Each structure stands twice: as C-alpha cells, then as structure tokens.
Amino acid sequence: ASNKVNQNVPQEALDALGDWRHRYPESRLLSQAALIEGKAQVARGRGLAGGKDTPTGEALVAYEHARDIFIEVTKEHAADEAASGEALFHLGSVYGQLGQEQKSLDTYDALVAKYPQHALAARALYSVANGAWNDEDYDRARQYFQKLLDNYPDDGLSKRARKNINALSIIGQDAPELQLDHWIHGTGT
C-alpha cells in the first residue's frame, strides 16, 4: 500500500489497506497502516485539488479525513513514538493545506517538544521557521532556525538554516551608504 501512495495511486493503496485490515485486524502494525492510509488520503486530496491553494469539495473531504486519521494515530498509538511523531508531522502538513497555519505551526512545535529525537523533528523545526519567515516574524524565524542548528547540527537542513540565519541578519537593517570606491574597486571603505 505504501508503494501505491508513492506511485500516486491513492485509491489502490486505500483498497489494499482495507483488504489488509480485514485479514489482520489485531496486527501490531496497525499504526503503520493508519499512517499509510492518512498519506493516501493526502495524496487523494492533492490529486482532487488540482493545484488549487485551498482544497474544496472532495479534496477537502480527503484532507479532513487524513487529519482525523493522523489525530487518531497520535491518540491510539501514543506509545509508538515513531508512528505518533510521524503522525504529528503529517498532521502539521495537513493543517497547512487546510489553511490553518497556526495549528500547523503548533503541531510541528508539539512534535519537537514531545519527540525531540524523532527523525522528522528537524524538518518540523524548519517548517516552523519557514512559516515564521513567511509571516515576516523574523525574530521567531531566527529563533527556530537557530534551534535547528543547536539541536540537529548534523541534519541536512542545518546548512539551509545557517544560510537563512545569515539572510535574516540582513533583513531589517538599514542599507549602508555606498561609497564610490566600492563601485570602482569592488571594495568597501
């Protein structure tokens, strides 16, 4: 079913999951099945939205269903930190797709607070920092990019976070007076 989601055939994934659940109703992998089902609903919603910023109609229903599934995983499978953390990450993304930006950022924040060692924690911090940047809350963006650097220095997103912190140091500063020497010689005075 996971391959079907990755191949962007979410209905086939949902059908395969239904068959699997019927055969294995007591499986210890139910949390993973629920995550795949949620991701299939997201893929279905994305396909039905047809590139629109805000989903409507059946696309909205698919995203709302995905939201409900991810919430259920965080509650029903809270002891499974990997699954619960992944569900929080995808839930944050779904809230963003539904236009609920603050809920999205709060959910990513909750992932990092609850599961700081989760494989998706650095991505969650980066998402919060990016959301703050897009909202022009540059102090908060800087704070979260720095938190990513401090807590996940070896993560691949750390390099991008460092570049963004450097860019943020320029934003909001007065432009320096340009000197004629700078233009002629390419140096500042």
Side-chain angles (χ1 to χ4, degrees):
S2 185
N3 288 337
K4 295 295 183 186
V5 173
N6 294 336
Q7 295 168 358
N8 204 25
V9 283
Q11 191 56 54
E12 289 181 30
L14 292 169
D15 293 343
L17 281 169
D19 291 343
W20 182 86
R21 280 194 173 143
H22 181 70
R23 283 189 223 166
Y24 308 102
E26 301 298 321
S27 173
R28 63 179 178 82
L29 299 175
L30 287 176
S31 62
Q32 294 302 313
L35 286 170
I36 294 167
E37 182 181 3
K39 290 189 270 187
Q41 289 294 346
V42 168
R44 185 171 167 266
R46 191 178 316 118
L48 291 168
K52 295 178 186 172
D53 287 340
T54 305
T56 59
E58 286 298 312
L60 178 61
V61 170
Y63 278 111
E64 288 173 340
H65 191 73
R67 176 200 60 208
D68 295 344
I69 291 168
F70 293 134
I71 289 171
E72 180 182 332
V73 170
T74 65
K75 292 178 180 176
E76 299 295 321
H77 303 283
D80 183 346
E81 291 185 12
S84 190
E86 185 175 345
L88 282 171
F89 183 82
H90 292 300
L91 181 60
S93 177
V94 168
Y95 280 137
Q97 291 295 319
L98 293 172
Q100 299 172 355
E101 293 302 321
Q102 192 57 52
K103 276 189 171 183
S104 174
L105 299 177
D106 290 346
T107 303
Y108 287 137
D109 247 350
L111 164 60
V112 174
K114 195 168 186 178
Y115 308 111
Q117 300 306 313
H118 195 279
L120 295 170
R123 281 181 60 190
L125 280 175
Y126 194 84
S127 294
V128 173
N130 253 1
W133 182 312
N134 292 338
D135 290 342
E136 297 181 9
D137 185 349
Y138 300 126
D139 289 336
R140 185 171 184 214
R142 183 179 291 106
Q143 173 191 359
Y144 277 90
F145 284 133
Q146 189 61 53
K147 189 173 181 180
L148 191 158
L149 283 173
D150 293 344
N151 295 328
Y152 309 98
D154 298 327
D155 190 90
L157 290 172
S158 290
K159 183 176 180 181
R160 289 168 69 183
R162 188 171 289 106
K163 286 181 181 180
N164 288 339
I165 288 173
N166 290 337
L168 285 168
S169 67
I170 296 170
I171 294 175
Q173 293 183 7
D174 292 333
E177 293 294 322
L178 294 176
Q179 304 282 329
L180 186 56
D181 285 344
H182 178 74
W183 287 100
I184 294 172
H185 303 290
T187 60
T189 56

